[in-house]
Amino acid sequence: MEGINICVIGANGVGKSHFIQRAMSLPRIPGPNPTTARINIDNVPYAVTLFELDLEYFDIDPHRQIKWPKQMGGAIVPRVNGVLLLYDVMNRESIIELPQTLNALVNSSLPAVLVATKCDNSENLRHIDTEAVAAACQSCLATFKTSANKPEGARIALSTLLKALVMRSQEAEGVEATGSRRRAASAAHLDAQLESTTARPLSQQSKHSRASSDMSLLRGFLPTQPGTDYRHSRSPRVDYTGSHMTGQFPDNADDDNQTVSSMLRTPGIRLDRSQNTASFLEIEDSDADSLRYSDDIPLLQRSDESVFERPPKKHGLTFDELVERLIAPKMSRTDYNFLEIFLCLYRKFAAPGQLLSSLLSRLERVKDDKSVHYLTKTAAQLRIIEVVAKWVGTYPGDFARPATRRSLEDFIKHLSTEPIFSAAAQQMRRTLESSIIEADDTGWEKADSIEDTDNEPGTNSTRDVAKRFADLSESISSLGVDDGVERRPSAASSLQTDIGKMHSFQFHSYEDYEREAATMVPTSTLPLTKFRYHIFMDTQNDDIADEMTRIDWVMFSSIRIRDLVRHVSLSAEQKEKSKSMKNVNRMIAHFNHIATWVSNMILMRDKAKHRAQMLEKFMNIALKLRQLNNYNGLAAVLSGINGTAIHRLSQTRGLVTTDVQKRFARLVLLMGTQKGYFAYRLAWENSPLPRIPFIPLHRRDLVSAEEGSMTLVGPQGDRINWKKFEILGEILLPVMKSQGTPYPNLSKHDTARELILDCLMPTDEEDIYQRSIQVETPSGGSVDPGKKKFPWFAKS
């Protein structure tokens, strides 16, 4: 796939990141790294990469070619094919470097499109006259206006530049292919040409042969009136802003050495149309349709279809198309990701029985096809059986309904009659017998019927289809499947009691994690006293961070990914009724418990020096949690420290060591909400396993993806909007990957566990805030000694 690299240039603050987001139709603002997407241009896929550079990153000499920086954010800057030049209509300083930049781009033979940003502001409030800028920047391919409420303007600007670059590449290849033929044809008449045209030597004549050829191409198309061709690469002095601030290009009228190449806007762009041609935005649909497939269409006369078009464009995919992709050969990581996403989310648009019937019918069709080579047939049969085995091993609960389970059992029974498949059949049978959970279809749009409707009139029974596979292994020599029983990676940890005894335990399945997580519910039995304060201060920071991480990991591993998806679409009443939702609810409640526990522990003592010691200890624990990649526990601790009741304690914070406060400030920036949690998302993507995600943020992303688009689209509402599920997959796949690698050798610390889960403390935010007012008044006065030391426990 050919790549196209486009640089988005502009002054600081013109909106380059927002432009890339709109042009590439990204769900969020891109990061500092280049953004790459697959885009079809004239039905040919291209890998288009956009990256942004501020004008201050490099020096621009208007008389020389532009010099790009060698590196950008530690990465090598790729070779630039085209430029999108941005300026802000609300900032006059954004066009100061515009003339020099355009001249340097012309000298570098780089096509450029000029884009005015923030045009949603009314014209009387703008600081720059966009029409004057467009008139001055005639060396650009085109000029566009973009605004936040019209994202299609950014896409059209990118489309214009991409089509120009593709046309330029095609014409360059055509010139190179015909160059040898042209030289061969002219060689036969070389002597006659020299005699009839000029007496210059052969070498001198050959030096200017290209210029003469270029002039012959332009003959008859150049404007008859001087100064009327808008395609000149340079333009006279123009007032950009309507005030005294101007930018000036060198005037062509005084350039006696002007060549044909300098008269071209950009190399490769055709100039064989007059100025009266309709623009890119003004051409009528009928004209565009009649000229759509002609190579002689000028760039600005082409239709305004986006480069993201897919002919013929259809909304969504059918269920059969998705199943065909499911059993297709796996050629890349994307194909394996599709398998994971489909099996996880197909319940939103199909029932398990429907998917099983579809897979078995395709298996029958492949078996009966006599026109296919037996090796090709073998590979197709193997892929279908592997999909079924993966499905059974990963989501055995889909076969809890009697009819669906009976259909699968019949298929396994006939599969086990063949020695080659006996092992696979035994594993799937063991999964059905040991791992079937109670059917919980709450929140799923599609579910199998509770009644036995397997043999409805007019339909082919899935059981009958399964009986036809007794001779399925005639052409298959081997089969490899995963372990039938859904086994999570072993989470071996050491249990260390206060007397030093070590106990080992292992968690293999969701059920194991779920039973352990049920024991981690707070009990609220130990009151907060001075004795509890000293026990906590004497406990090592590593021990507390390890125990917090162990608790978070057990609760995180007890959540099935499907339950996380359903949790965002169910009502509170449905969540209470559904047994599978309790694991998600438990982890959310634990997050809130940690935040409340941190606040109460800091407010335990009356003296500021004691509170400062506790606050500093929690700051160090937060750093340990970051080192363990426990982002959920880190966010909970930060929530407790940065809450209103603790954040207002200026005297307490003033006693904390400066170095600790600096390290803690970096953690606050890491988990900050700036740019949609950009810092955390970048750290999460680059964190090695094992790791625990910040569950509230990922849950919010799922809510946005779930509510942002429909599941079924099309005129009849029968096509599946797979784009929605791709977005859900981008959120879920990293979480699924994180559950696959447990923390090694996490120790259980009973003392730390009691301090975390068993403290008796107030949970009402108002009571906690009143305690904060009591220990440190707004005026900065001391605590009244006549007050009771821990009065807020009276309400507990």
Side-chain angles (χ1 to χ4, degrees), residues 420-476:
I420 296 178
F421 300 109
S422 59
Q426 183 179 0
Q427 291 174 353
M428 285 190 285
R429 182 182 294 109
R430 186 167 61 248
T431 301
L432 289 177
E433 294 174 351
S434 61
S435 300
I436 288 296
I437 59 176
E438 182 180 355
D440 186 2
D441 296 326
T442 307
W444 294 127
E445 284 77 3
K446 300 290 184 178
D448 291 331
S449 175
I450 300 179
E451 299 178 357
D452 187 1
T453 58
D454 193 37
N455 291 317
E456 293 181 357
T459 61
N460 293 327
S461 173
T462 308
R463 189 187 316 173
D464 296 336
V465 174
K467 291 181 179 179
R468 302 187 58 181
F469 296 112
D471 57 344
L472 186 63
S473 62
E474 294 176 357
S475 60
I476 301 180

Side-chain angles (χ1 to χ4, degrees), residues 582-602:
K582 61 183 179 182
N583 298 317
V584 183
N585 295 333
R586 184 189 297 115
M587 189 167 190
I588 295 176
H590 180 73
F591 181 93
N592 298 329
H593 168 78
I594 292 296
T596 305
W597 172 66
V598 170
S599 300
N600 280 280
M601 292 293 290
I602 296 173

